[in-house]
């Protein structure tokens, strides 16, 4: 999985990608120590493999995975996303409130928020060693005031290990 910086011990090469400096992937984000190129390449390879695994992780609102048996419940996992509704979206949504109809701008923000949050939930599951996520729940909220509006989404579920399929 992720390696640790030899100088400060910070995690490097994790799934979230913020453990390595964005400007130079061979630099520790926490202390600035330069990693050997081979170690940085290996960390980036592990990161890409974990991202690939996360993108294929089964996720469901039910408490079973079709055709598979759950071996172990690992933990409850969550992901939180906050998206701002810019002034133009707020304005057009306000017009839609008056005249009626669908607000495509608001729908797009909702869709983007959901996709982002489920991606983050999958990353949490992979880092916990899960094979799937069951019992997924999405809770939406809106915070508004002072002419600003934010959409808040919390995705939660149970990370599980599945029994190995017999060949």
């Amino acid at each position: 999985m992720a390696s640790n910086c030899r100088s400060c011990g910070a995690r490097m090469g994790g799934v979230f990608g913020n453990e390595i400096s964005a400007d130079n992937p061979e630099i520790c984000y926490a202390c600035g120590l330069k990693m050997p190129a081979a170690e940085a390449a290996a960390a980036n390879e592990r990161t890409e493999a974990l991202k690939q695994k996360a993108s294929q992780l089964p996720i469901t609102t039910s408490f079973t995975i079709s055709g598979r048996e759950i071996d172990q419940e690992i933990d409850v996992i969550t992901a939180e996303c906050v998206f701002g509704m810019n002034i133009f979206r707020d304005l057009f949504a306000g017009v839609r409130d008056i005249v009626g109809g669908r607000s495509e701008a608001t729908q797009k923000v909702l869709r983007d928020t959901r996709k982002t949050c489920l991606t983050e939930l999958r990353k949490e599951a992979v880092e916990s060693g899960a094979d799937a996520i069951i019992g997924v729940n999405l809770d939406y909220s809106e915070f508004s005031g002072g002419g600003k509006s934010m959409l808040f989404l919390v995705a939660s579920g149970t990370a599980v290990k599945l029994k190995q399929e017999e060949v």
Side-chain angles (χ1 to χ4, degrees):
M1 292 264 174
S3 58
N4 292 334
C5 174
R6 292 182 185 159
S7 174
C8 69
R11 243 180 44 173
M12 299 172 71
V15 173
F16 293 104
N18 60 352
E19 293 88 356
I20 296 176
S21 169
D23 298 330
N24 186 342
E26 298 176 6
I27 304 291
C28 172
Y29 185 75
C31 73
L33 180 73
K34 185 169 175 67
M35 253 201 302
E39 192 176 324
N44 287 335
E45 224 173 89
R46 286 189 301 271
T47 298
E48 288 306 312
L50 289 173
K51 283 181 182 178
Q52 180 68 24
K53 182 177 180 181
S55 72
Q56 297 172 353
L57 197 76
I59 184 168
T60 181
T61 57
S62 74
F63 294 96
T64 61
I65 298 288
S66 181
R68 300 291 302 271
E69 196 173 335
I70 294 171
D71 187 38
Q72 173 190 3
E73 292 180 9
I74 297 173
D75 201 1
V76 173
I77 56 174
T78 63
E80 302 82 14
C81 292
V82 179
F83 276 62
M85 297 284 290
N86 68 37
I87 190 166
F88 297 112
R89 284 189 181 137
D90 285 344
L91 177 67
F92 292 127
V95 170
R96 287 290 180 197
D97 282 345
I98 296 167
V99 298
R102 292 171 55 172
S103 171
E104 290 185 30
T106 302
Q107 286 177 303
K108 182 181 180 334
V109 172
L110 286 168
R111 189 173 23 261
D112 291 347
T113 303
R114 177 182 45 83
K115 287 179 179 181
T116 301
C117 212
L118 290 177
T119 297
E120 294 299 317
L121 192 66
R122 283 185 168 103
K123 289 176 183 179
E124 287 286 325
V126 167
E127 285 200 337
S128 72
D131 297 324
I133 310 166
I134 61 171
V136 172
N137 184 37
L138 301 174
D139 292 317
Y140 291 88
S141 293
E142 180 199 4
F143 300 108
S144 57
K148 296 178 184 170
S149 145
M150 303 289 281
L151 181 64
F152 183 70
L153 173 61
V154 177
S156 61
T158 303
V160 297
K161 285 293 254 181
L162 301 173
K163 285 192 177 178
Q164 295 297 321
E165 293 179 316
E166 295 180 18
V167 182

